[in-house]
Amino acid sequence: MIPGPFGYHRPETVADAVKLLASLGDEARPLAGGHSLIPMMKLRLATPGHLVDLHRIPNLKGIRNDGGKVTIGAMTTQHELLASDVVAKALPILMEAALLIADPQVRYRGTIGGNVANGDPGNDMPAMMMTLGASYVLEGSAGARTVAATDFYQGAYFTALDPGEILTEISIPTPATGHGYAYEKLKRKVGDYATAAAAVVLTMTGGKVATCSIGLTNLSETPLLATDAAKAVIGTSLDDGSLKAAAAAAEQIMSPAADARGPVEYRKHVGGIMVMRALKRAAQRAV
Amino acid sequence: MAKTHVTMKVNGNEVEGLVEPRLLLVHFIRDNLQLTGTHIGCETTHCGACTIDIDGMSVKSCTMFAVQADGADILTIEGVANADGTLSAVQEGFRAMHGLQCGFCTPGMIVRAHRLLQENPSPSEEDIRMGISGNLCRCTGYQNIVKAIQYAAAKINGTEFKEAAE
């Protein structure tokens, strides 16, 4: 499989990358890890006339804790995320999720920026970012702007990114000390996208849920924030009744596609189970 | 489309080439450099037969362009053996534990196992299975591949490995 011909550009600053994308127009695509785009190009499902490779822009790499929030450069790879002490301490749920993405080789190349910016409903990090209340910095020729992850996803592969804009940075408010977390992903095999997956971040006080946030992966055209499901468990001790109420509320907003991963009814059903499992496991971890 | 000049180090040797941007790294390695030990299996980033080591990372060379490897330090199966030509610990493990049958996945498996043991010299069986989860083998059922890597880890660590191939 040979991709179609394209012009290759390797800028060294974000400003140059933005300028290139503006001057090359619709034919140009930014290239991050390339593990979604290059397979699409080999199948000729994508035929960009130009690729603007972001690998040589040092400012797009790195993870730092700014006190109150963790900032992750868009070109940080899943492998780097897994090796990061900052992430291990402040955002262990990201490690749990990154380990469930693809396989080791893909994680050496695949970037968190590409994962969240691509708009693929199968990607794991978008729902995670909604659950964590993250925001994205988008830079284009008109300057930089910040968009909340919850406002970013508009449809499958449709996002708030304007033509010529690059997602440069992800900013995540540090969850409370002692928070509980879990990412439950049902998949058919290593490397597969989720049949259904749920992310939970919560805090417990006196054995009852004080705060809770729930995100869902691959259960709609976009990642989902299951707000009503989260509300259903606040103030409860996560007894069977409230777990079932949360699952039912989450299933209300799911609209998965029927595909090789199963019919709609099945995917919604296991989506509810992922919510219950993630809630239970998160509660066990909360202190 | 204009060709781009690239230079890189492959198995310790400086190499160069003129490449179209769309040329995949695996094609550059196999066709331009004539290093055909790196295999092309699925071409869809699943099977891992094309795995090589780039700047200390295991990468599927079917999912990267040769232009992107400009300036890189690359190791392929042809460069895995010890400098004196004897088999590396990983290669020896695959031979001793019968870690291959048809052999198609073996170059990718060995290059991946090489990096896995660099990062984690004493992996558990689970670490090994997860570590090679991006490499598919349709013959062995993985049992002897896992043992081959355990054998190599033991050899590197100077400990004894008593299990036999299945």
Side-chain angles (χ1 to χ4, degrees):
Chain A
M1 284 186 283
I2 314 286
F6 59 87
Y8 178 73
H9 309 267
R10 194 160 52 202
E12 292 182 0
T13 64
V14 172
D16 284 349
V18 163
K19 254 187 241 164
L20 273 167
L21 288 172
S23 63
L24 297 167
D26 289 349
E27 285 285 287
R29 290 281 302 271
L31 175 66
H35 277 52
S36 298
L37 182 55
I38 296 174
M40 296 285 273
M41 290 173 66
K42 289 202 287 187
L43 295 164
R44 307 277 177 131
L45 294 172
T47 52
H50 294 272
L51 288 185
V52 177
D53 188 347
L54 307 177
H55 277 95
R56 302 279 169 103
I57 305 178
N59 289 353
L60 289 180
K61 281 252 185 204
I63 302 167
R64 58 176 201 273
N65 192 336
D66 291 340
K69 64 174 179 163
V70 173
T71 305
I72 306 175
M75 288 297 285
T76 304
T77 63
Q78 309 289 357
H79 180 78
E80 288 163 343
L81 212 61
L82 286 167
S84 161
D85 289 340
V86 172
V87 172
K89 278 191 193 127
L91 290 161
I93 192 172
L94 287 192
M95 307 201 105
E96 189 162 298
L99 262 181
L100 294 170
I101 294 174
D103 60 51
Q105 284 95 317
V106 174
R107 293 195 290 266
Y108 280 111
R109 293 290 290 175
T111 64
I112 189 158
N115 194 293
V116 301
N118 195 26
D120 184 338
N123 284 354
D124 294 288
M125 288 298 179
M128 190 70 52
M129 294 304 151
M130 290 170 76
T131 306
L132 290 164
S135 54
Y136 306 147
V137 179
L138 315 180
E139 292 192 46
S141 41
R145 62 191 177 111
T146 301
V147 175
T150 46
D151 296 330
F152 186 76
Y153 301 98
Q154 300 168 345
Y157 302 101
F158 283 93
T159 68
L161 269 174
D162 283 336
E165 272 187 326
I166 300 171
L167 189 153
T168 55
E169 199 171 85
I170 296 165
S171 182
I172 306 170
T174 313
T177 310
H179 73 279
Y181 64 91
Y183 188 57
E184 284 286 344
K185 178 178 179 180
L186 180 71
K187 54 182 180 172
R188 298 169 301 177
K189 59 179 271 292
V190 165
D192 194 17
Y193 292 111
T195 300
V200 166
V201 174
L202 53 68
T203 57
M204 307 282 289
T205 309
K208 292 196 178 345
V209 179
T211 63
C212 181
S213 181
I214 303 173
L216 306 171
T217 296
N218 219 11
L219 289 163
S220 179
E221 281 207 351
T222 65
L224 297 172
L225 195 63
T227 316
D228 287 342
K231 272 189 199 147
V233 297
I234 303 271
T236 74
S237 55
L238 290 174
D239 54 286
D240 280 356
S242 38
L243 285 172
K244 279 183 185 147
E251 284 176 46
Q252 283 290 316
I253 62 167
M254 296 174 194
S255 54
D259 61 16
R261 293 180 184 84
V264 170
E265 296 77 8
Y266 169 73
R267 294 185 66 182
K268 286 171 76 164
H269 178 69
V270 292
I273 291 171
M274 292 304 109
V275 168
M276 291 194 283
R277 285 186 188 169
L279 280 167
K280 275 197 262 189
R281 209 152 54 80
Q284 283 162 10
R285 279 174 166 156
V287 286
Chain B
M1 198 58 69
K3 290 194 174 180
T4 306
H5 183 249
V6 294
T7 59
M8 60 193 85
K9 195 185 267 187
V10 178
N11 302 329
N13 304 312
E14 293 290 343
V15 301
E16 58 179 342
L18 272 179
V19 299
E20 262 193 272
R22 66 171 167 169
L23 183 72
L24 297 168
L25 182 56
V26 69
H27 290 140
F28 179 73
I29 289 170
R30 286 178 54 86
D31 301 343
N32 296 44
L33 303 182
Q34 299 280 300
L35 294 171
T36 53
T38 302
H39 289 167
I40 299 175
C42 69
E43 297 192 69
T44 54
T45 332
H46 288 94
C47 78
C50 65
T51 299
I52 60 170
D53 202 73
I54 304 179
D55 297 328
M57 296 179 286
S58 301
V59 171
K60 296 181 178 179
S61 59
C62 78
T63 311
M64 186 170 164
F65 297 110
V67 282
Q68 294 188 280
D70 189 24
D73 191 348
I74 290 175
L75 177 76
T76 69
I77 186 66
E78 288 87 350
V80 167
N82 299 323
D84 63 2
T86 56
L87 296 183
S88 74
V90 178
Q91 288 173 309
E92 195 184 306
F94 273 73
R95 185 169 72 177
M97 291 295 115
H98 196 48
L100 61 143
Q101 288 176 29
C102 88
F104 194 85
C105 72
T106 312
M109 283 285 183
I110 287 180
V111 174
R112 173 62 198 135
H114 166 83
R115 177 54 45 202
L116 173 66
L117 293 179
Q118 299 272 319
E119 290 185 354
N120 181 2
S122 305
S124 65
E125 181 182 335
E126 176 72 7
D127 293 338
I128 292 173
R129 289 186 182 274
M130 291 311 289
I132 58 167
S133 61
N135 296 73
L136 300 184
C137 171
R138 300 288 81 158
C139 302
T140 64
Y142 302 97
Q143 293 294 106
N144 284 345
I145 293 178
V146 172
K147 286 190 176 175
I149 298 170
Q150 288 173 325
Y151 175 105
K155 168 130 191 178
I156 290 165
N157 295 324
T159 55
E160 206 175 346
F161 185 68
K162 286 184 182 161
E163 285 186 57
E166 288 180 19

